[in-house]
Amino acid sequence: MMSVLDNAAWASLTGPHAAFAERVGQAVRYPVDVSVFLAVPDEPDERVWDDIAALAGPGAVVPLLPQAGPPPAEWEILEKMGGVQLVDDGVEAAHWPEAVRLTLDDVPEMLDLVARTKPGPFLPRTVLLGTYLGIRHEGVLVAMAGERLHPPGWTEISAVCTDPAYRDRGLAGRLVRAVAAGIRERGETPFLHAAAGNVNAIRRYEGMGFRLRRRNAFGQVRIPRDWRAAA
């Protein structure tokens, strides 16, 4: 039986995050200032890439989607990389009183921290997807973690990052546990993604109580500027 985690963005955008969804035919996505995710159903028909193009627009860069199959030959594949999905398998979740809730007012600092640490895509309104927690030192944001995809029954922990000057102090781990505590209190289960090559991060997550669920691949493809759907 397939899990909602096998197509987590679709399950989010057609479930708990439906209020964010922008849709054309079989393709659905978050607003472009919220998240990079675009998704299609598990078994779309042959017009799925035309729906993706109509939703994203000529020249746009969109994710490679295993559910959609290979993109049209004219579309430019920009990159591919391996990834892993890990799920809570006994994480010692715990609230952290020193962690502060981050809001839209904190976005400039959050974007600056992300730019310096590169945990993955984070956009001006990503903070609206769920709870984001941060640690400040002398008023400056030095670490954060928060919630992103939200398939029914699950919540993804994302944007885990620490200023290089404050690493090796356990800040990221405590923030992950604090975010996980909030997820658990809603009766949901935490999960997360990581690049397959980031073996140190994967080991840390496994040491915290996350379990490798599956390996997957991430990639991007560019829609031709002159793309026209077949009649």
Side-chain angles (χ1 to χ4, degrees):
M1 181 177 294
M2 293 188 68
S3 166
V4 293
L5 296 185
D6 295 336
N7 195 353
W10 173 265
S12 299
L13 285 162
T14 58
H17 279 171
F20 291 101
E22 299 175 349
R23 185 166 188 166
V24 172
Q26 302 164 92
V28 62
R29 72 173 181 183
Y30 289 93
V32 295
D33 61 348
V34 172
S35 176
V36 299
F37 284 102
L38 182 152
V40 299
D42 294 329
E43 297 182 357
D45 66 31
E46 68 280 359
R47 293 187 61 85
V48 65
W49 287 105
D50 288 334
D51 291 342
I52 291 170
L55 176 60
V61 174
V62 297
L64 282 169
L65 301 169
Q67 297 82 8
E74 301 91 336
W75 294 31
E76 178 188 6
I77 296 177
L78 301 178
E79 66 173 344
K80 288 184 178 180
M81 63 179 293
V84 297
Q85 185 183 77
L86 301 105
V87 296
D88 178 4
D89 190 31
V91 175
E92 294 182 3
H95 290 291
W96 188 10
E98 294 181 34
V100 297
R101 177 75 179 263
L102 301 174
T103 70
L104 284 170
D105 292 338
D106 300 297
V107 165
E109 285 186 277
M110 298 170 79
L111 290 172
D112 177 69
L113 182 60
V114 166
R116 290 184 285 109
T117 57
K118 303 189 184 308
F122 184 89
L123 301 167
R125 293 201 300 144
T126 302
V127 70
L128 298 179
L129 294 179
T131 298
Y132 278 80
L133 300 178
I135 290 297
R136 293 186 176 279
H137 179 75
E138 297 181 350
V140 177
L141 183 67
V142 299
M144 73 175 194
E147 301 174 355
R148 189 170 62 175
L149 294 179
H150 194 175
W154 301 81
T155 299
E156 180 193 22
I157 299 177
S158 182
V160 181
C161 56
T162 304
D163 184 296
Y166 292 86
R167 289 176 181 165
D168 301 321
R169 303 186 188 188
L171 302 182
R174 294 190 70 177
L175 284 171
V176 168
R177 292 184 176 92
V179 175
I183 295 169
R184 290 251 195 90
E185 286 180 351
R186 299 197 300 264
E188 297 174 345
T189 304
F191 74 106
L192 50 81
H193 292 99
N198 195 350
V199 293
N200 290 333
I202 294 169
R203 287 171 183 160
R204 285 196 295 270
Y205 290 135
E206 289 178 330
M208 291 171 59
F210 286 94
R211 170 179 54 83
L212 177 65
R213 177 182 178 268
R214 67 185 301 219
R215 297 185 180 274
N216 47 24
F218 303 104
Q220 293 182 317
V221 60
R222 189 187 307 277
I223 303 169
R225 294 191 180 278
D226 59 352
W227 180 258
R228 294 292 183 272

